[in-house]
Amino acid sequence: MLAGGAAGTVLSGGLNDLLKQLQESGQGDVAKSWVGTGPNKTISPNDLASALGADQVGLLSAHSGMSQNDLLEGLSQYLPQVVDHMTPDGRVPTDQELSRSL
């Protein structure tokens, strides 16, 4: 599985949950930039690891077959684009809208 596919796995837990995790870890401005219509702010692999937590990173690594380091590098690169794609109107879609996108 590529990092982009792992991003889909992260989102399957719920886009709102992901954004909440980012906000609670001090990455709220980053999360807002991904949803908003302007340019996406970057997130470092370490900040993403902190936001997701060790258990979730370990689970994603196991499911993807990627090392945790490679996984976090890929997710930090692709996750902003995936969230941006899932929020083309600059807002978090409803669950029904999101299920049609996946």
Side-chain angles (χ1 to χ4, degrees):
M1 178 184 291
L2 298 174
T9 302
V10 170
L11 291 177
S12 70
L15 182 56
N16 282 319
D17 289 345
L18 172 65
L19 296 173
K20 183 178 177 183
Q21 283 179 278
L22 289 166
Q23 290 172 338
E24 290 175 352
S25 69
Q27 300 298 322
D29 287 343
V30 171
K32 287 179 186 176
S33 77
W34 298 354
V35 174
T37 56
N40 291 332
K41 292 184 179 182
T42 60
I43 189 167
S44 73
N46 288 339
D47 288 340
L48 185 57
S50 294
L52 295 177
D55 289 343
Q56 192 168 14
V57 171
L59 182 64
L60 290 170
S61 177
H63 283 321
S64 68
M66 299 173 74
S67 72
Q68 289 187 11
N69 191 38
D70 288 346
L71 174 83
L72 290 166
E73 286 284 335
L75 283 176
S76 67
Q77 180 180 354
Y78 293 108
L79 194 54
Q81 296 168 17
V82 171
V83 173
D84 195 44
H85 177 76
M86 301 301 288
T87 58
D89 299 326
R91 64 173 178 81
V92 176
T94 65
D95 288 341
Q96 185 178 24
E97 290 171 331
L98 187 57
S99 68
R100 286 190 297 236
S101 299
L102 296 176

